[in-house]
Amino acid sequence: AQTVTQSQPEMSVQEAETVTLSCTYDTSESDYYLFWYKQPPSRQMILVIRQEAYKQQNATENRFSVNFQKAAKSFSLKISDSQLGDAAMYFCAYTPGNQGGSEKLVFGKGTKLTVNP
Amino acid sequence: DAGVIQSPRHEVTEMGQEVTLRCKPISGHDYLFWYRQTMMRGLELLIYFNNNVPIDDSGMPEDRFSAKMPNASFSTLKIQPSEPRDSAVYFCASSLHRQGTQYFGPGTRLLVL
């Protein structure tokens, strides 16, 4: 079964600094998709970034970027120029890409990010 | 685009009562998902639909839980009878195509006393 592991239950960063959140996953699939979702105190689940496993180029969305290491099954999220509004729970998620696979997202346990002014 | 709409946002009920959660997916999306989030188990998929047809309900905890999608714009998740251990946040999400990005609703916070 596929699993997603976030080894950092909590992280903190100073405003305007850079922070990296870790995520590893376990799968026997070669084709899959990885996501980072943000959950602020409002509890809304907000997509931050998406990575297709077949793409070697790391995905980037403004201040958010990933370091995707397929061989190591690692998918870390880097937040640059951290802002107070970045404070939230961050979830790493996986879904298989093969036609016979389930559509479900498998989530990690989350990392709580605090941004200090 | 209004996004995924869920109602109610909060629900407090007593053990044994029937609870119905509602979801309206994003227009045009053909996949709909129900997730549950608890402190103990995190986020877990309960069931998902494709073109209104249930595809995988292996995450539904037990027979007390049922879900329907009578048309492309509406789905319900029903718990009957409810128990205190059902207290959680229930999310609905939708996506446009297979392995498309899933967009989540605001969630329904359920408390069963």
Side-chain angles (χ1 to χ4, degrees), chain B:
Chain B
D1 191 342
V4 177
I5 299 172
Q6 291 187 247
S7 64
R9 295 291 305 275
H10 303 275
E11 178 81 21
V12 180
T13 190
E14 293 187 346
M15 183 174 61
Q17 296 298 306
E18 177 179 294
V19 176
T20 299
L21 311 181
R22 298 173 176 79
C23 175
K24 176 180 170 56
I26 293 173
S27 178
H29 282 193
D30 52 353
Y31 283 86
L32 183 139
F33 306 81
W34 282 101
Y35 291 89
R36 179 172 67 177
Q37 184 178 33
T38 62
M39 288 295 292
M40 291 295 293
R41 300 174 66 90
L43 277 154
E44 52 183 350
L45 177 73
L46 300 177
I47 185 171
Y48 78 90
F49 297 82
N50 175 218
N51 291 322
N52 313 337
V53 176
I55 302 299
D56 183 356
D57 65 354
S58 60
M60 295 286 263
E62 48 199 273
D63 292 345
R64 297 185 298 106
F65 285 69
S66 63
K68 294 182 179 180
M69 192 166 186
N71 57 63
S73 59
F74 183 66
S75 176
T76 60
L77 177 67
K78 186 176 293 186
I79 308 172
Q80 167 64 22
S82 58
E83 297 182 2
R85 60 192 168 122
D86 301 330
S87 298
V89 180
Y90 291 81
F91 287 101
C92 176
S94 70
S95 67
L96 180 56
H97 54 74
R98 188 176 183 84
Q99 277 84 45
T101 299
Q102 293 184 24
Y103 295 92
F104 285 72
T108 295
R109 183 176 295 196
L110 173 65
L111 178 61
V112 183
L113 301 174

Side-chain angles (χ1 to χ4, degrees), chain A residues 31 38 69 93 104:
Chain A
D31 185 22
K38 168 186 177 181
Q69 301 289 328
K104 74 176 184 180

Side-chain angles (χ1 to χ4, degrees), chain A residues 79-98:
Chain A
I79 306 173
S80 303
D81 186 25
S82 297
Q83 300 176 0
L84 296 177
D86 295 333
M89 283 290 287
Y90 285 82
F91 292 94
C92 180
Y94 160 101
T95 191
N98 59 299

Side-chain angles (χ1 to χ4, degrees), chain A residues 2-111:
Chain A
Q2 294 95 355
T3 58
V4 176
T5 302
Q6 294 178 248
S7 59
Q8 307 152 316
E10 296 187 23
M11 291 281 287
S12 64
V13 63
Q14 291 297 125
E15 196 174 3
E17 297 293 309
T18 296
V19 64
T20 298
L21 308 184
S22 300
C23 173
T24 59
Y25 57 94
D26 185 23
T27 182
S28 58
E29 304 287 341
S30 60
D31 185 22
Y32 48 88
Y33 299 77
L34 296 163
F35 305 84
W36 279 97
Y37 281 89
K38 168 186 177 181
Q39 187 177 40
S42 65
R43 291 194 173 272
Q44 177 78 46
M45 292 289 287
I46 303 166
L47 176 71
V48 175
I49 203 163
R50 165 192 168 113
Q51 175 80 44
E52 292 88 344
Y54 63 86
K55 289 186 177 179
Q56 293 187 343
Q57 185 173 6
N58 290 323
T60 299
E61 286 289 341
N62 300 313
R63 298 183 294 108
F64 298 87
S65 61
V66 298
N67 183 6
F68 173 49
Q69 301 289 328
K70 190 172 184 179
K73 296 180 181 176
S74 171
F75 182 61
S76 61
L77 175 70
K78 185 172 81 171
I79 306 173
S80 303
D81 186 25
S82 297
Q83 300 176 0
L84 296 177
D86 295 333
M89 283 290 287
Y90 285 82
F91 292 94
C92 180
Y94 160 101
T95 191
N98 59 299
Q99 286 298 312
S102 172
E103 290 292 314
K104 74 176 184 180
L105 283 170
V106 178
F107 287 91
K109 294 295 187 184
T111 296

